[in-house]
């Protein structure tokens, strides 16, 4: 049986970012991943490193997301230097477009609440009227009433990111174990054995980062990860010259030139089929936002499943019964990749989560039932 300093289960963006951080900081970890049959949010997402809508009513989530947005400015060049992979990260600020006065008013109230809840930490935003938004996004449709803007938002190529994290992990001495579905666990405090078929591996630290697979794995370690699938559909156009200098919540241009148009939020279980009516609604809103989009061909479209906690906030925990077992779950694995590599991984390496992470524990769901 092979032993490692730590084992991360799940080779998607969450697991790969944590495993990369552990290896970079000197541990000898293993990263175990199920294989190509898996549901993988990490290969079907929209690529935003997005801050402005994160954490309303939950300022700790806003702070965590902002920390990640800042850490992205370190992680992207570090990955480029270590792996030669440019993950295409840009942080030019981002816009959320409002297509009616009602949407604009609701957005304004939301952004103001975020600012108030941020307190001394601060939250910089502006509500832009149509002309101000059009100055940032030439070709904006007349249907756009206005937009919210923050300087913290950005985007990246999340497939390059996944590749770079894996490559950086292996180059720092990490061991990648693909095509293994963990199906049993021998569990004792700081002493874990994991089995996949005849293979067994051991480590004093385990991180469950198996996306939707965490829901089944977590109870084996006396943890809870009540995540559910939420389907999102995305369209991509043919490549064009540089038309959009800034990302918006639902339309962004990749560094290669394709325009990505997203993305729906559908509770349909483990169903990854595409729905023409949903794709049509997504495209219609995008063309109202940017009428010139109607002249571009859609060349690809897909559906993928988000890893969605009940309240939409990440879940991070360490097992009380089996110290050394951690879990990480979120629906913003691109955005939070830098926090996972640069803040969460060091906590795992140090052997405990920082006190401020307690607000992310799944214990927040254990509220007494109303009589
Ligand atoms: C349509 C869509 C748009 C999105 N847009 C954005 C965005 O713009 N910005 C953003 O930040 N986020 C976005 N996301 C979310 C982001 O993609 C996810 O938060 C992130 O990919 C989750 O990564 P993960 O590693 O937790 O899960 P996954 O990518 O699902 O990876 C989990 C891995 O665990 C493995 N696994 C599962 N069970 C086991 C087991 N028992 N043993 C071994 N391995 C196992 C699987 O093989 C899989 O590879 C979007 C998601 C979707 C679907």
């Amino acid at each position: 049986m092979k032993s490692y300093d730590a084992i991360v289960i799940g080779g998607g963006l969450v697991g790969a970012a944590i495993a990369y951080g552990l290896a970079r900081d000197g541990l000898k970890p293993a990263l175990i991943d199920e294989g190509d049959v898996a549901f993988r949010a990490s290969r079907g997402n929209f690529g935003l490193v997005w801050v402005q809508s994160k954490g309303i009513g939950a300022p700790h989530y806003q702070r965590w997301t902002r920390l990640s947005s800042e850490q992205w400015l370190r992680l992207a060049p570090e990955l480029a230097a270590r792996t030669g992979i440019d993950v295409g990260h840009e942080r030019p600020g981002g816009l959320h477009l409002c297509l009616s006065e009602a949407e604009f008013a609701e957005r304004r109230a939301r952004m103001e609440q975020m600012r108030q809840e941020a307190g001394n930490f601060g939250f910089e935003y502006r509500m832009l009227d149509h002309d101000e938004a059009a100055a940032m996004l030439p070709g904006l449709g007349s249907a756009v009433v206005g937009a919210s803007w923050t300087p913290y938002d950005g985007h990246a190529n999340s497939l390059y990111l996944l590749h770079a994290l894996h490559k950086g992990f292996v180059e720092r001495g990490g061991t990648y174990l693909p095509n293994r579905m963990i199906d049993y666990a021998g569990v004792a405090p700081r002493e874990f054995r994991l089995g996949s078929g005849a293979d067994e591996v051991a480590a004093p630290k385990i991180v469950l980062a198996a996306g939707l697979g965490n829901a089944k794995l977590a109870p084996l370690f006396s943890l809870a990860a009540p995540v559910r699938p939420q389907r999102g559909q995305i369209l991509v156009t043919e490549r064009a010259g540089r038309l959009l200098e800034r990302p918006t919540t639902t339309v962004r241009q990749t560094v290669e030139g394709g325009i990505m148009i997203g993305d729906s939020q559908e509770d349909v279980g483990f169903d990854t089929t595409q729905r023409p009516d949903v794709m049509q609604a997504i495209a219609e809103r995008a063309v109202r936002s940017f009428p010139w989009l109607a002249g571009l061909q859609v060349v690809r479209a897909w559906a993928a499943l988000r890893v969605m906690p009940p309240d939409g906030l990440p879940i991070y925990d360490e097992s009380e019964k089996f110290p050394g077992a951690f879990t990480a779950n979120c629906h913003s694995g691109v955005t939070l990749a830098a926090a996972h590599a640069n803040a969460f991984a060091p906590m795992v390496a140090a052997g405990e989560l920082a006190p401020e992470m307690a607000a992310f524990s799944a214990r927040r769901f254990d509220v007494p039932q109303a009589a």
Side-chain angles (χ1 to χ4, degrees), residues 14 33-34 38-42 45-46 48 182 330-331 333-335:
V14 174
D33 196 43
E34 178 184 351
F39 291 107
R40 281 194 170 122
S42 301
N45 62 67
F46 195 60
L48 291 174
I182 293 303
C330 73
H331 77 84
V334 186
T335 306

Side-chain angles (χ1 to χ4, degrees), residues 70-118:
E70 293 300 322
Q71 288 295 325
W72 255 100
L73 301 173
R74 258 187 63 201
L75 181 68
E78 179 184 297
L79 288 172
R82 287 173 188 266
T83 67
I85 299 170
D86 177 353
V87 301
H89 176 244
E90 294 177 345
R91 195 174 83 153
L95 286 83
H96 175 87
L97 306 182
C98 304
L99 270 60
S100 69
E101 292 293 349
E103 277 184 24
F104 191 72
E106 191 197 325
R107 190 70 182 177
R108 181 195 292 281
R110 194 181 168 88
M111 299 300 275
E112 186 49 25
Q113 185 179 338
M114 298 271 290
R115 193 188 64 75
Q116 286 178 14
E117 287 174 353

Side-chain angles (χ1 to χ4, degrees), residues 96-104 128-131 133-134 137 139-147 283-292:
H96 175 87
L97 306 182
C98 304
L99 270 60
S100 69
E101 292 293 349
E103 277 184 24
F104 191 72
L128 309 173
D129 64 19
H130 174 89
D131 291 348
L137 297 169
L140 195 67
S142 57
V144 178
V145 170
E284 255 171 26
R285 189 174 166 101
V287 170
R288 286 178 70 207
S289 302
F290 299 100
W292 49 264

